[in-house]
Amino acid sequence: MQGFATSPLTQESFEQIFHRYERKLCAIAYSYVRDKEAAQDIVNECFAATWDHRQNIETTLEAYLYQCVRNECLKYRRNQTTQKAVYEKILAKERCVMDYYTRTIESCNPNELFRAEIMEICRQQIDKMPELRRRIFTANKFEGLSYKEIADKNGITTHRVDYELRMAMNMLRLSLKDYLAILALFISVKH
């Protein structure tokens, strides 16, 4: 196959090339990204880019397409890795904040800081939780069970345990937001 600079590419010949290479390029893309839809999207994007840049390509069509698919797959994997790292940082930060709130409440003398109201709000919020979330929350916070122990006990994954605990903590945090602000102010004044 010659470079595009010496042989103009018509829409009809491009469609033939698409049908000839699409399946092979999808298989290559899938070997990089392990997601059929993402692989198909990458190949389609590469064909569209090839058509858009057909006047500037100075290599064989096959070599250009393979290189394009490879580069797009590597970019996809880098983006996936970056997104996962950002998500994990957000989760870690959220956990730190929730741990801080929990430690703040635990370290204060509840007799001085609206103990009855806080406990009643917590009890009401725990009662409002769906059954599974309530079981997971009480098992972790009151019984001290690990994520793995809770997952095994309830026949779910540790990811589901993490999700349910985050939802429970968000629910409590939102219902106690006024008290947490007062606690934070009280702690900052004490120090």
Side-chain angles (χ1 to χ4, degrees), residues 83-126:
Q83 288 173 0
K84 185 177 179 183
V86 167
Y87 177 74
E88 287 173 359
K89 283 182 183 178
I90 290 169
L91 284 180
K93 190 171 191 168
E94 185 176 285
R95 283 189 191 113
C96 286
V97 168
M98 294 312 298
D99 287 346
Y100 171 77
Y101 286 148
T102 303
R103 284 191 310 272
T104 300
I105 291 172
E106 291 172 347
S107 68
C108 292
N109 183 348
N111 293 326
E112 296 175 23
L113 298 172
F114 317 104
R115 180 178 193 264
E117 290 98 338
I118 291 173
M119 297 308 285
E120 180 59 23
I121 290 170
C122 287
R123 188 192 59 72
Q124 289 172 357
Q125 292 303 312
I126 291 169

Side-chain angles (χ1 to χ4, degrees), residues 1 9 23 40 50 67 74-75 83 93 103 108 115 122 127-128 134 139 143 148 151 155 161 169 178 182-183 189:
M1 220 179 248
L9 187 62
R23 208 181 285 186
Q40 183 68 52
T50 301
Q67 187 66 35
L74 292 173
K75 185 167 50 171
Q83 288 173 0
K93 190 171 191 168
R103 284 191 310 272
C108 292
R115 180 178 193 264
C122 287
D127 288 344
K128 288 180 185 177
R134 182 173 44 248
E143 298 171 24
K148 175 88 171 99
V161 171
M169 293 303 289
D178 296 331
I182 292 169
L183 290 173
V189 170

Side-chain angles (χ1 to χ4, degrees), residues 23-58:
R23 208 181 285 186
K24 185 187 246 183
L25 292 172
C26 282
I28 291 169
Y30 180 78
S31 73
Y32 279 98
V33 299
R34 295 291 184 212
D35 180 324
K36 286 186 181 193
E37 287 181 24
Q40 183 68 52
D41 289 344
I42 287 169
V43 169
N44 289 340
E45 287 174 23
C46 288
F47 272 108
T50 301
W51 179 255
D52 291 343
H53 299 100
R54 65 188 179 277
Q55 302 300 343
N56 302 326
I57 298 173
E58 297 180 6

